[in-house]
Amino acid sequence: MDSYIAYVLLSTVTILLPGPAVMLTINNSVQRGRYKTFSGVLGIATAILFISGISATSLGVIITQSIFAFTVIKFIGAAYLLYMGLKMWKSNSVPDLKANNTKSSHYKCFSEGFLVSISNPKAIVFFMSVFPQFIDLSKDNTSQLVLLSITFSFLVVIIHSTYSLLSCFAKSKLSSEKSKGILNKVSGSVFVSFAIGLVVSAK
């Protein structure tokens, strides 16, 4: 029980750290509304659940041990983060919320959240490093891995929904075209920075 609480605390701190997924949630909250933002959050959580599942299988070992496979995934992920970053950076002004909601479907928001989270192969390395620290070898591994994976994804939903709620409260202060432009620049810069960091980093 103590190890599970420690895992929850570690996961919470990890999810709270600002990154592309957090910036996407904040950006969506201000510009697309809370309902479509939640679709994006579900996309992020689904990708995390998928990644944690891969990490618990032999496929995760293959990806992390194969320089070619890891590099290919890394560059594809970096390319997508760069694309999203430049897309946000070029959006100097944002249409009104109704117009933006019309253009942005729930599926699109879900897809963006999913792709942003799954684009970083280092998440596999993270889970492969963390899971063994909280597994009791005297008990069934599968049930423990399932619990840890679902817990992390559930925390993603809770924490990102909290970010979304706080962003919605601050929407009035970010409703001007200038404020939205600044938010896009900040969000775009975070995405580009993570894309560059992903490319230049080793495993």
Side-chain angles (χ1 to χ4, degrees):
M1 187 64 179
D2 290 339
S3 63
Y4 180 72
I5 294 174
Y7 174 77
V8 170
L9 292 175
L10 173 64
S11 300
T12 299
V13 172
T14 302
I15 298 167
L16 281 170
L17 294 174
V22 170
M23 293 309 302
L24 180 66
T25 295
I26 294 173
N27 199 286
N28 282 343
S29 299
V30 174
Q31 301 180 22
R32 291 174 172 172
R34 62 181 181 273
Y35 295 115
K36 290 184 177 176
T37 298
F38 188 68
S39 295
V41 171
L42 289 180
I44 294 169
T46 302
I48 291 298
L49 187 61
F50 182 74
I51 291 172
S52 60
I54 290 177
S55 305
T57 66
S58 57
L59 181 58
V61 177
I62 293 172
I63 292 174
T64 55
Q65 294 300 317
S66 170
I67 296 177
F68 176 76
F70 189 87
T71 302
V72 169
I73 296 174
K74 183 171 73 170
F75 275 92
I76 292 175
Y80 182 73
L81 290 177
L82 183 62
Y83 162 75
M84 288 291 293
L86 293 177
K87 181 181 176 183
M88 289 180 177
W89 181 266
K90 291 179 180 179
S91 299
N92 294 317
S93 60
V94 182
D96 61 79
L97 189 57
K98 289 184 178 179
N100 208 34
N101 275 336
T102 301
K103 293 180 180 179
S104 302
S105 66
H106 286 281
Y107 174 76
K108 181 179 180 181
C109 293
F110 179 90
S111 298
E112 287 181 352
F114 184 87
L115 291 173
V116 163
S117 283
I118 209 165
S119 61
N120 185 6
K122 284 185 171 292
I124 298 177
V125 179
F126 169 79
F127 282 116
M128 290 185 67
S129 301
V130 170
F131 281 167
Q133 312 302 320
F134 300 96
I135 294 294
D136 185 348
L137 297 178
S138 65
K139 299 179 181 178
D140 178 53
N141 288 348
T142 302
S143 59
Q144 292 181 78
L145 288 170
V146 169
L147 175 62
L148 295 179
S149 298
I150 292 177
T151 297
F152 198 96
S153 296
F154 178 74
L155 288 172
V156 166
V157 173
I158 297 300
I159 293 172
H160 278 257
S161 294
T162 302
Y163 269 122
S164 175
L165 185 62
L166 293 174
S167 299
C168 286
F169 283 138
K171 187 186 297 183
S172 59
K173 297 181 179 181
L174 298 171
S175 59
S176 68
E177 293 301 316
K178 181 179 179 180
S179 296
K180 289 179 180 178
I182 293 174
L183 178 61
N184 277 337
K185 291 289 189 296
V186 172
S187 300
S189 298
V190 170
F191 273 76
V192 172
S193 297
F194 271 78
I196 295 173
L198 192 57
V199 170
V200 301
S201 66
K203 284 188 182 181

